[in-house]
């Protein structure tokens, strides 16, 4: 008898054979290959593997990943189907996303950087395809990049309509004017709010229920500026036109109302510098990459005692 049977979707049912035919590339990408092509090859191989091991997902994986020729086409299709409504049609959104990704290659470069960031930093992320298909923080950021492009093109009613759908579907509310770098991780993402004049640098990690907000009814430049490599813990609130320095760490639940120096940690409500403002404790690591939320606790305990 043959050892490799096929199911009703025409996919091989033998898991070992599937792995052999669609081998998952090694991680990280080799220097000889572009990150975009490597990540896309990874996603397709993972989708083949998952479709063969879980037939219930085969049609979804084929329609969302395997039927497409590039990451841009796949992501545009997936976002369009996630964000469509009875009045905001998926075909319209698909054309909008695909045109945006095609006209501005830096958007796809940022998509790849975000995929690599999530896969590297989040131990719950088991594959690139899992991130692409299921991580609402990742999807919200990619949709925001398109709404931001629309805002810059003065297509503001459409940008705001897209923002509203992103908020409804992903529970992430980012104003289209907010500027976001690449290599971004929104971990869990639920309840993240980012105001109009906020700026988020590169390689930043933000957990759920974080607010980058204003302080009232003031207009103009009124929201936080987040430096590269910052880690913002769950439930943190950062208010006003203040600067969070490069590589800083914001403890969970903190309320930050003043500037935070680079490579320092603040915790509490109102937030205070670990080590004190005269000689704050400094760290050498990049907290957004280490995702270390607790190393300051002993030092903070010694300080407050």
């Amino acid at each position: 008898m043959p050892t490799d049977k096929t199911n009703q979707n025409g996919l091989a049912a033998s898991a070992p054979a599937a792995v052999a035919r669609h081998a998952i590339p090694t991680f990280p990408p080799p220097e000889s290959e572009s990150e975009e092509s490597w990540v896309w090859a990874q996603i397709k191989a993972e989708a083949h593997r998952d479709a063969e091991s879980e037939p219930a997902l085969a049609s979804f994986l084929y329609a969302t990943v395997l039927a497409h020729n590039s990451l841009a086409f796949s992501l545009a299709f997936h976002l369009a189907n996630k964000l469509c409504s009875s009045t905001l049609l998926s075909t319209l959104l698909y054309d909008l996303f695909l045109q945006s990704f095609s006209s501005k290659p830096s958007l796809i470069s940022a998509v790849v950087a975000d995929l690599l960031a999530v896969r590297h930093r989040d131990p719950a992320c088991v594959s690139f395809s899992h991130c692409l298909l299921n991580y609402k923080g990742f999807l919200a950021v990619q949709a925001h990049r398109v709404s931001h492009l629309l805002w810059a093109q003065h297509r503001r009613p459409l940008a705001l309509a897209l923002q509203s759908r992103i908020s409804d579907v992903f529970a992430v509310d980012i104003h289209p004017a907010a500027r976001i770098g690449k290599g971004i991780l929104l971990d869990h993402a639920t309840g993240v709010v980012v105001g109009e004049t906020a700026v988020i640098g590169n390689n930043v990690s933000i957990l759920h229920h974080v607010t980058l907000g204003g302080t009232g009814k003031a207009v103009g430049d009124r929201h936080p500026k987040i430096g590269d490599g910052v880690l913002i813990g769950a439930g943190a609130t950062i208010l006003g036109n203040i600067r969070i320095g490069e590589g800083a760490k914001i403890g969970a639940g903190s309320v930050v109302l003043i500037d935070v120096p680079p490579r320092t940690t603040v915790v509490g409500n109102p937030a205070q510098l670990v080590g004190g403002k005269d000689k704050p404790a400094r760290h050498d690591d990049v907290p957004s990459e280490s995702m270390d939320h607790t190393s300051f606790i002993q030092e903070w305990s010694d300080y407050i005692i």
Side-chain angles (χ1 to χ4, degrees), residues 86-110:
S86 59
T87 54
L88 201 58
L89 301 181
S90 61
T91 51
L92 182 151
L93 289 175
Y94 175 74
D95 289 341
L96 174 65
F97 287 126
L98 190 57
Q99 183 180 30
S100 299
F101 294 145
S102 301
S103 65
K104 198 171 180 62
S106 61
L107 292 183
I108 290 298
S109 175

PDB file of all heavy atoms in Angstrom, residues 86-110:
ATOM      1  N   SER A  86     -20.205  45.934   5.236  1.00  0.00           N
ATOM      2  CA  SER A  86     -21.258  45.955   4.228  1.00  0.00           C
ATOM      3  C   SER A  86     -21.179  47.184   3.336  1.00  0.00           C
ATOM      4  O   SER A  86     -21.688  47.182   2.207  1.00  0.00           O
ATOM      5  CB  SER A  86     -22.630  45.888   4.900  1.00  0.00           C
ATOM      6  OG  SER A  86     -22.794  46.984   5.789  1.00  0.00           O
ATOM      7  N   THR A  87     -20.546  48.243   3.833  1.00  0.00           N
ATOM      8  CA  THR A  87     -20.429  49.477   3.044  1.00  0.00           C
ATOM      9  C   THR A  87     -19.005  49.787   2.617  1.00  0.00           C
ATOM     10  O   THR A  87     -18.789  50.651   1.774  1.00  0.00           O
ATOM     11  CB  THR A  87     -20.986  50.669   3.839  1.00  0.00           C
ATOM     12  OG1 THR A  87     -20.351  50.732   5.120  1.00  0.00           O
ATOM     13  CG2 THR A  87     -22.486  50.533   4.037  1.00  0.00           C
ATOM     14  N   LEU A  88     -18.025  49.111   3.199  1.00  0.00           N
ATOM     15  CA  LEU A  88     -16.617  49.278   2.818  1.00  0.00           C
ATOM     16  C   LEU A  88     -16.169  47.929   2.256  1.00  0.00           C
ATOM     17  O   LEU A  88     -15.734  47.046   2.994  1.00  0.00           O
ATOM     18  CB  LEU A  88     -15.776  49.684   4.032  1.00  0.00           C
ATOM     19  CG  LEU A  88     -14.424  50.366   3.792  1.00  0.00           C
ATOM     20  CD1 LEU A  88     -14.592  51.639   2.977  1.00  0.00           C
ATOM     21  CD2 LEU A  88     -13.736  50.664   5.110  1.00  0.00           C
ATOM     22  N   LEU A  89     -16.298  47.784   0.947  1.00  0.00           N
ATOM     23  CA  LEU A  89     -16.200  46.468   0.322  1.00  0.00           C
ATOM     24  C   LEU A  89     -14.762  45.940   0.299  1.00  0.00           C
ATOM     25  O   LEU A  89     -13.805  46.711   0.199  1.00  0.00           O
ATOM     26  CB  LEU A  89     -16.756  46.525  -1.098  1.00  0.00           C
ATOM     27  CG  LEU A  89     -18.220  46.969  -1.224  1.00  0.00           C
ATOM     28  CD1 LEU A  89     -18.663  46.951  -2.673  1.00  0.00           C
ATOM     29  CD2 LEU A  89     -19.133  46.101  -0.362  1.00  0.00           C
ATOM     30  N   SER A  90     -14.631  44.621   0.354  1.00  0.00           N
ATOM     31  CA  SER A  90     -13.310  43.998   0.367  1.00  0.00           C
ATOM     32  C   SER A  90     -12.555  44.269  -0.932  1.00  0.00           C
ATOM     33  O   SER A  90     -11.329  44.421  -0.915  1.00  0.00           O
ATOM     34  CB  SER A  90     -13.437  42.487   0.599  1.00  0.00           C
ATOM     35  OG  SER A  90     -14.184  41.878  -0.433  1.00  0.00           O
ATOM     36  N   THR A  91     -13.278  44.328  -2.063  1.00  0.00           N
ATOM     37  CA  THR A  91     -12.603  44.601  -3.327  1.00  0.00           C
ATOM     38  C   THR A  91     -11.992  45.998  -3.351  1.00  0.00           C
ATOM     39  O   THR A  91     -10.883  46.196  -3.848  1.00  0.00           O
ATOM     40  CB  THR A  91     -13.593  44.445  -4.494  1.00  0.00           C
ATOM     41  OG1 THR A  91     -14.776  45.215  -4.221  1.00  0.00           O
ATOM     42  CG2 THR A  91     -13.965  42.997  -4.686  1.00  0.00           C
ATOM     43  N   LEU A  92     -12.716  46.965  -2.803  1.00  0.00           N
ATOM     44  CA  LEU A  92     -12.189  48.332  -2.714  1.00  0.00           C
ATOM     45  C   LEU A  92     -10.956  48.368  -1.829  1.00  0.00           C
ATOM     46  O   LEU A  92      -9.931  48.979  -2.172  1.00  0.00           O
ATOM     47  CB  LEU A  92     -13.272  49.263  -2.173  1.00  0.00           C
ATOM     48  CG  LEU A  92     -12.945  50.759  -2.034  1.00  0.00           C
ATOM     49  CD1 LEU A  92     -14.213  51.586  -2.184  1.00  0.00           C
ATOM     50  CD2 LEU A  92     -12.290  51.082  -0.691  1.00  0.00           C
ATOM     51  N   LEU A  93     -11.036  47.715  -0.669  1.00  0.00           N
ATOM     52  CA  LEU A  93      -9.910  47.726   0.262  1.00  0.00           C
ATOM     53  C   LEU A  93      -8.716  46.979  -0.314  1.00  0.00           C
ATOM     54  O   LEU A  93      -7.563  47.401  -0.131  1.00  0.00           O
ATOM     55  CB  LEU A  93     -10.328  47.104   1.597  1.00  0.00           C
ATOM     56  CG  LEU A  93     -11.288  47.937   2.448  1.00  0.00           C
ATOM     57  CD1 LEU A  93     -11.709  47.162   3.689  1.00  0.00           C
ATOM     58  CD2 LEU A  93     -10.646  49.260   2.854  1.00  0.00           C
ATOM     59  N   TYR A  94      -8.964  45.869  -1.001  1.00  0.00           N
ATOM     60  CA  TYR A  94      -7.866  45.127  -1.611  1.00  0.00           C
ATOM     61  C   TYR A  94      -7.102  46.003  -2.597  1.00  0.00           C
ATOM     62  O   TYR A  94      -5.866  46.055  -2.571  1.00  0.00           O
ATOM     63  CB  TYR A  94      -8.404  43.882  -2.315  1.00  0.00           C
ATOM     64  CG  TYR A  94      -7.356  43.109  -3.079  1.00  0.00           C
ATOM     65  CD1 TYR A  94      -6.408  42.346  -2.400  1.00  0.00           C
ATOM     66  CD2 TYR A  94      -7.310  43.152  -4.461  1.00  0.00           C
ATOM     67  CE1 TYR A  94      -5.439  41.641  -3.098  1.00  0.00           C
ATOM     68  CE2 TYR A  94      -6.350  42.449  -5.161  1.00  0.00           C
ATOM     69  CZ  TYR A  94      -5.419  41.689  -4.475  1.00  0.00           C
ATOM     70  OH  TYR A  94      -4.451  41.001  -5.167  1.00  0.00           O
ATOM     71  N   ASP A  95      -7.821  46.696  -3.464  1.00  0.00           N
ATOM     72  CA  ASP A  95      -7.165  47.594  -4.424  1.00  0.00           C
ATOM     73  C   ASP A  95      -6.404  48.701  -3.704  1.00  0.00           C
ATOM     74  O   ASP A  95      -5.294  49.067  -4.106  1.00  0.00           O
ATOM     75  CB  ASP A  95      -8.204  48.211  -5.366  1.00  0.00           C
ATOM     76  CG  ASP A  95      -8.776  47.190  -6.346  1.00  0.00           C
ATOM     77  OD1 ASP A  95      -8.134  46.137  -6.537  1.00  0.00           O
ATOM     78  OD2 ASP A  95      -9.858  47.456  -6.904  1.00  0.00           O
ATOM     79  N   LEU A  96      -6.995  49.222  -2.635  1.00  0.00           N
ATOM     80  CA  LEU A  96      -6.357  50.294  -1.875  1.00  0.00           C
ATOM     81  C   LEU A  96      -5.057  49.819  -1.235  1.00  0.00           C
ATOM     82  O   LEU A  96      -4.007  50.479  -1.354  1.00  0.00           O
ATOM     83  CB  LEU A  96      -7.312  50.800  -0.796  1.00  0.00           C
ATOM     84  CG  LEU A  96      -6.756  51.838   0.182  1.00  0.00           C
ATOM     85  CD1 LEU A  96      -6.418  53.135  -0.542  1.00  0.00           C
ATOM     86  CD2 LEU A  96      -7.761  52.090   1.300  1.00  0.00           C
ATOM     87  N   PHE A  97      -5.102  48.672  -0.574  1.00  0.00           N
ATOM     88  CA  PHE A  97      -3.898  48.153   0.084  1.00  0.00           C
ATOM     89  C   PHE A  97      -2.824  47.792  -0.937  1.00  0.00           C
ATOM     90  O   PHE A  97      -1.649  48.130  -0.756  1.00  0.00           O
ATOM     91  CB  PHE A  97      -4.245  46.943   0.948  1.00  0.00           C
ATOM     92  CG  PHE A  97      -4.978  47.275   2.212  1.00  0.00           C
ATOM     93  CD1 PHE A  97      -6.186  46.672   2.514  1.00  0.00           C
ATOM     94  CD2 PHE A  97      -4.470  48.198   3.108  1.00  0.00           C
ATOM     95  CE1 PHE A  97      -6.873  46.981   3.678  1.00  0.00           C
ATOM     96  CE2 PHE A  97      -5.144  48.511   4.284  1.00  0.00           C
ATOM     97  CZ  PHE A  97      -6.349  47.898   4.568  1.00  0.00           C
ATOM     98  N   LEU A  98      -3.228  47.114  -1.987  1.00  0.00           N
ATOM     99  CA  LEU A  98      -2.242  46.684  -2.971  1.00  0.00           C
ATOM    100  C   LEU A  98      -1.601  47.870  -3.674  1.00  0.00           C
ATOM    101  O   LEU A  98      -0.382  47.893  -3.890  1.00  0.00           O
ATOM    102  CB  LEU A  98      -2.900  45.761  -3.996  1.00  0.00           C
ATOM    103  CG  LEU A  98      -1.945  45.047  -4.945  1.00  0.00           C
ATOM    104  CD1 LEU A  98      -0.916  44.226  -4.181  1.00  0.00           C
ATOM    105  CD2 LEU A  98      -2.728  44.160  -5.905  1.00  0.00           C
ATOM    106  N   GLN A  99      -2.387  48.876  -4.019  1.00  0.00           N
ATOM    107  CA  GLN A  99      -1.835  50.075  -4.644  1.00  0.00           C
ATOM    108  C   GLN A  99      -0.871  50.779  -3.699  1.00  0.00           C
ATOM    109  O   GLN A  99       0.187  51.268  -4.119  1.00  0.00           O
ATOM    110  CB  GLN A  99      -2.961  51.022  -5.051  1.00  0.00           C
ATOM    111  CG  GLN A  99      -2.481  52.277  -5.773  1.00  0.00           C
ATOM    112  CD  GLN A  99      -3.624  53.190  -6.156  1.00  0.00           C
ATOM    113  OE1 GLN A  99      -4.656  53.232  -5.478  1.00  0.00           O
ATOM    114  NE2 GLN A  99      -3.462  53.935  -7.245  1.00  0.00           N
ATOM    115  N   SER A 100      -1.209  50.837  -2.427  1.00  0.00           N
ATOM    116  CA  SER A 100      -0.333  51.483  -1.441  1.00  0.00           C
ATOM    117  C   SER A 100       0.989  50.740  -1.308  1.00  0.00           C
ATOM    118  O   SER A 100       2.064  51.348  -1.320  1.00  0.00           O
ATOM    119  CB  SER A 100      -1.037  51.558  -0.083  1.00  0.00           C
ATOM    120  OG  SER A 100      -2.221  52.322  -0.157  1.00  0.00           O
ATOM    121  N   PHE A 101       0.922  49.408  -1.192  1.00  0.00           N
ATOM    122  CA  PHE A 101       2.148  48.617  -1.065  1.00  0.00           C
ATOM    123  C   PHE A 101       3.000  48.705  -2.328  1.00  0.00           C
ATOM    124  O   PHE A 101       4.232  48.724  -2.254  1.00  0.00           O
ATOM    125  CB  PHE A 101       1.806  47.151  -0.777  1.00  0.00           C
ATOM    126  CG  PHE A 101       1.143  46.917   0.553  1.00  0.00           C
ATOM    127  CD1 PHE A 101       0.173  45.936   0.692  1.00  0.00           C
ATOM    128  CD2 PHE A 101       1.472  47.674   1.661  1.00  0.00           C
ATOM    129  CE1 PHE A 101      -0.448  45.714   1.913  1.00  0.00           C
ATOM    130  CE2 PHE A 101       0.858  47.458   2.894  1.00  0.00           C
ATOM    131  CZ  PHE A 101      -0.104  46.480   3.018  1.00  0.00           C
ATOM    132  N   SER A 102       2.355  48.787  -3.497  1.00  0.00           N
ATOM    133  CA  SER A 102       3.088  48.830  -4.758  1.00  0.00           C
ATOM    134  C   SER A 102       3.721  50.192  -4.999  1.00  0.00           C
ATOM    135  O   SER A 102       4.829  50.279  -5.549  1.00  0.00           O
ATOM    136  CB  SER A 102       2.146  48.485  -5.924  1.00  0.00           C
ATOM    137  OG  SER A 102       1.592  47.201  -5.758  1.00  0.00           O
ATOM    138  N   SER A 103       3.031  51.250  -4.598  1.00  0.00           N
ATOM    139  CA  SER A 103       3.526  52.598  -4.867  1.00  0.00           C
ATOM    140  C   SER A 103       4.587  53.048  -3.879  1.00  0.00           C
ATOM    141  O   SER A 103       5.353  53.970  -4.159  1.00  0.00           O
ATOM    142  CB  SER A 103       2.366  53.599  -4.857  1.00  0.00           C
ATOM    143  OG  SER A 103       1.788  53.684  -3.558  1.00  0.00           O
ATOM    144  N   LYS A 104       4.632  52.397  -2.718  1.00  0.00           N
ATOM    145  CA  LYS A 104       5.587  52.806  -1.681  1.00  0.00           C
ATOM    146  C   LYS A 104       6.296  51.568  -1.132  1.00  0.00           C
ATOM    147  O   LYS A 104       5.846  50.978  -0.134  1.00  0.00           O
ATOM    148  CB  LYS A 104       4.861  53.570  -0.572  1.00  0.00           C
ATOM    149  CG  LYS A 104       5.785  54.401   0.307  1.00  0.00           C
ATOM    150  CD  LYS A 104       4.986  55.304   1.230  1.00  0.00           C
ATOM    151  CE  LYS A 104       5.886  56.147   2.119  1.00  0.00           C
ATOM    152  NZ  LYS A 104       6.766  57.065   1.364  1.00  0.00           N
ATOM    153  N   PRO A 105       7.390  51.161  -1.756  1.00  0.00           N
ATOM    154  CA  PRO A 105       8.088  49.934  -1.331  1.00  0.00           C
ATOM    155  C   PRO A 105       8.521  49.937   0.136  1.00  0.00           C
ATOM    156  O   PRO A 105       8.670  48.864   0.727  1.00  0.00           O
ATOM    157  CB  PRO A 105       9.302  49.895  -2.266  1.00  0.00           C
ATOM    158  CG  PRO A 105       8.895  50.688  -3.467  1.00  0.00           C
ATOM    159  CD  PRO A 105       8.005  51.766  -2.957  1.00  0.00           C
ATOM    160  N   SER A 106       8.717  51.111   0.716  1.00  0.00           N
ATOM    161  CA  SER A 106       9.127  51.168   2.121  1.00  0.00           C
ATOM    162  C   SER A 106       8.074  50.558   3.040  1.00  0.00           C
ATOM    163  O   SER A 106       8.391  50.123   4.154  1.00  0.00           O
ATOM    164  CB  SER A 106       9.408  52.608   2.540  1.00  0.00           C
ATOM    165  OG  SER A 106       8.255  53.411   2.405  1.00  0.00           O
ATOM    166  N   LEU A 107       6.814  50.516   2.591  1.00  0.00           N
ATOM    167  CA  LEU A 107       5.776  49.892   3.405  1.00  0.00           C
ATOM    168  C   LEU A 107       6.027  48.401   3.561  1.00  0.00           C
ATOM    169  O   LEU A 107       5.892  47.847   4.654  1.00  0.00           O
ATOM    170  CB  LEU A 107       4.396  50.124   2.786  1.00  0.00           C
ATOM    171  CG  LEU A 107       3.850  51.552   2.786  1.00  0.00           C
ATOM    172  CD1 LEU A 107       2.447  51.581   2.215  1.00  0.00           C
ATOM    173  CD2 LEU A 107       3.866  52.152   4.178  1.00  0.00           C
ATOM    174  N   ILE A 108       6.380  47.728   2.472  1.00  0.00           N
ATOM    175  CA  ILE A 108       6.664  46.293   2.557  1.00  0.00           C
ATOM    176  C   ILE A 108       7.951  46.041   3.327  1.00  0.00           C
ATOM    177  O   ILE A 108       8.065  45.061   4.071  1.00  0.00           O
ATOM    178  CB  ILE A 108       6.717  45.671   1.154  1.00  0.00           C
ATOM    179  CG1 ILE A 108       5.305  45.633   0.557  1.00  0.00           C
ATOM    180  CG2 ILE A 108       7.284  44.267   1.191  1.00  0.00           C
ATOM    181  CD1 ILE A 108       4.311  44.782   1.329  1.00  0.00           C
ATOM    182  N   SER A 109       8.932  46.928   3.180  1.00  0.00           N
ATOM    183  CA  SER A 109      10.152  46.813   3.981  1.00  0.00           C
ATOM    184  C   SER A 109       9.815  46.863   5.465  1.00  0.00           C
ATOM    185  O   SER A 109      10.366  46.099   6.278  1.00  0.00           O
ATOM    186  CB  SER A 109      11.121  47.937   3.611  1.00  0.00           C
ATOM    187  OG  SER A 109      12.257  47.915   4.450  1.00  0.00           O
ATOM    188  N   ALA A 110       8.884  47.748   5.840  1.00  0.00           N
ATOM    189  CA  ALA A 110       8.465  47.839   7.240  1.00  0.00           C
ATOM    190  C   ALA A 110       7.689  46.599   7.664  1.00  0.00           C
ATOM    191  O   ALA A 110       7.829  46.127   8.800  1.00  0.00           O
ATOM    192  CB  ALA A 110       7.622  49.094   7.442  1.00  0.00           C
TER     193      ALA A 110
END
